[in-house]
Amino acid sequence: MDTKDFIIVFATLVAPLFAVQVTQFLDRRRQQREEQLRVFKTLMATRAANLDPRHVEALNMIDVVFHSNSKNEIEIRRLWKQYLDHLGDKAYSRESWGSRRVELLVDLLHAMANFLGFDFDKTHIKNQSYYPEGSGNLEDEQGVIRRSLAEVLSGKRALPMEVINLPKQSNDQI
């Protein structure tokens, strides 16, 4: 058996193994990209509703789905950490905390958009979302109700009562 025959036999044996490895590699990359797109799409869809459980879940998935050591993914994780640090910052002034939160979220979403091949500028990300005023009002009212109920149940606040009509007493009961 000469070298040419050996190469043909070797290629015949190794080619299927190589094809399986390439297929698995491509499947892992496709799945990773799909997960990254799912997180990005969820964050974009809920960017005006930052208390939405889907938004919170997607934020917490960033470290998992953008985990490689590529320059872009490292930057995405850095921006996520910066945003997360701000979310937990109790010392930041209340007047400017909200606007800074939006700015940091826009930076994060912009980096993710660029990495995933979307052509969104920061102004688009910040201003092109729909969040009905009624949803914001509902969220605010539910917060007031939760806090007030917690104060009543914990004894910090009394439940106000007003008697409007007393039952009439008959002479027999006197």
Side-chain angles (χ1 to χ4, degrees), residues 2-161:
D2 60 355
T3 307
K4 177 180 163 186
D5 294 332
F6 178 74
I7 291 173
I8 291 173
V9 170
F10 180 76
T12 304
L13 293 174
V14 173
L17 296 174
F18 181 74
V20 167
Q21 292 298 316
V22 168
T23 301
Q24 289 177 344
F25 172 77
L26 293 174
D27 285 345
R28 282 191 304 272
R29 290 214 27 195
R30 181 186 46 75
Q31 181 180 5
Q32 180 182 6
R33 177 159 172 82
E34 286 174 4
E35 290 172 355
Q36 291 169 339
L37 282 169
R38 183 181 53 79
V39 166
F40 175 70
K41 287 177 181 180
T42 301
L43 290 173
M44 285 294 287
T46 60
R47 67 189 182 270
N50 62 314
L51 296 179
D52 186 307
R54 295 172 300 145
H55 185 82
V56 174
E57 180 181 325
L59 285 172
N60 286 315
M61 291 296 295
I62 290 172
D63 286 327
V64 175
V65 300
F66 293 95
H67 64 274
S68 82
N69 286 327
S70 74
K71 179 182 167 187
N72 292 327
E73 290 187 58
I74 289 170
E75 177 65 6
I76 289 169
R77 289 193 312 271
R78 185 191 70 75
L79 290 168
W80 159 230
K81 183 181 182 319
Q82 188 177 13
Y83 181 57
L84 179 61
D85 287 347
H86 179 72
L87 292 175
D89 189 353
K90 305 281 190 244
Y92 208 87
S93 71
R94 292 184 65 83
E95 298 79 34
S96 56
W97 186 89
S99 60
R100 178 70 176 148
R101 182 197 66 77
V102 170
E103 178 185 321
L104 291 170
L105 178 61
V106 167
D107 289 344
L108 173 62
L109 291 175
H110 186 252
M112 292 171 78
N114 286 339
F115 174 71
L116 294 169
F118 291 93
D119 187 25
F120 297 141
D121 60 31
K122 289 182 180 185
T123 303
H124 176 89
I125 293 171
K126 182 179 179 183
N127 297 330
Q128 298 299 316
S129 65
Y130 175 66
Y131 190 70
E133 183 179 331
S135 295
N137 293 343
L138 179 64
E139 199 173 280
D140 292 343
E141 290 165 357
Q142 287 174 341
V144 169
I145 291 168
R146 280 192 308 269
R147 284 187 296 278
S148 298
L149 183 59
E151 288 175 354
V152 168
L153 294 176
S154 67
K156 293 179 182 173
R157 175 187 284 190
L159 186 61
M161 300 175 110

